[in-house]
Amino acid sequence: MKIGVRAHDYGKMEIETAAETLHREGYQAAQLAFPKVFTGIDSYEDITLRHLQRVRKAFETWEIEIPVFGCYMDLANPDETVRSYAVNTLKKCLAYGKEAGANVVGTETAYPRLSREEKARWYPYLLDSLKRIMEEAVRLDAKLAIEPVYWHPLENLDVVLDVMDSIGDDKHLRMIFDPSNLLPFPMPKDQDEYWHKWLSNAGKYIEAVHIKDFYYDQNGQYCPTPLGKGMIQYETISKWLRENRPDMYLLREEMDPQIAAQEISFMKNL
């Protein structure tokens, strides 16, 4: 396994400082959302060729791989203006990601928490957005990775498989697997069976795994916890990783840098 982190959990820094910091913390990889992690970049429109060249050089120097260039956009929004911005930004970031040395550009498929009816209504807009972005991915020979979230249009295994079948290009369209974003409320009774079904059917599309843990409070609200202290049962996921993808990137989200050492140890034991 290659142990990584969502870099902006460490705050905004100069490019070179960020790469050095992550190396010294013991990471091998990082997910980079440029406007959130790098000083002097406040939007995707601020990114220049010089920034991308500095990132590639600094992260290669400090031996930090970049599995995910983060560009999370509201891809399924029915508002044409919002959706066009999302599509155009992701197209630009496919080129940026290649220049920076990233493996994939990663995104979720919406911003708000949607009702069942809204998810169904937004889904055709998601497919339209993906088809337009994939034209650019093919042209650049770059990879987009979509992240399923149960309160977004890309909500469950059946929808993921439908999207992959509709696009029909698993070379350029991949997936980020985040177990914490896939546990509905109320939770499935048998997590082992739940994860086995996900990984057996969609594991071949996974480019990176987001690692975090949480519990639901009495009102059904998400509450983050240190790894191993919450509701995620990692045994089936760990077994699948060892048997099928021992080279997988494990990217810690919601990292508390004060307990980084024990969190890294937990991920290594996966």
Side-chain angles (χ1 to χ4, degrees), residues 1-2 207 241-242 244-250:
M1 306 299 167
K2 296 182 179 180
E207 287 287 318
L241 288 169
R242 290 195 308 271
N244 297 277
R245 292 295 303 278
D247 60 341
M248 181 66 75
Y249 293 101
L250 304 182

Side-chain angles (χ1 to χ4, degrees), residues 1 236-246:
M1 306 299 167
T236 297
I237 299 169
S238 176
K239 182 174 185 292
W240 183 87
L241 288 169
R242 290 195 308 271
E243 294 177 354
N244 297 277
R245 292 295 303 278

Side-chain angles (χ1 to χ4, degrees), residues 63-86:
E63 299 180 323
I64 302 291
E65 296 182 44
I66 309 171
V68 180
F69 182 111
C71 180
Y72 283 42
M73 290 284 122
D74 201 359
L75 281 181
N77 197 301
D79 186 311
E80 177 62 30
T81 301
V82 173
R83 199 167 66 255
S84 293
Y85 173 77

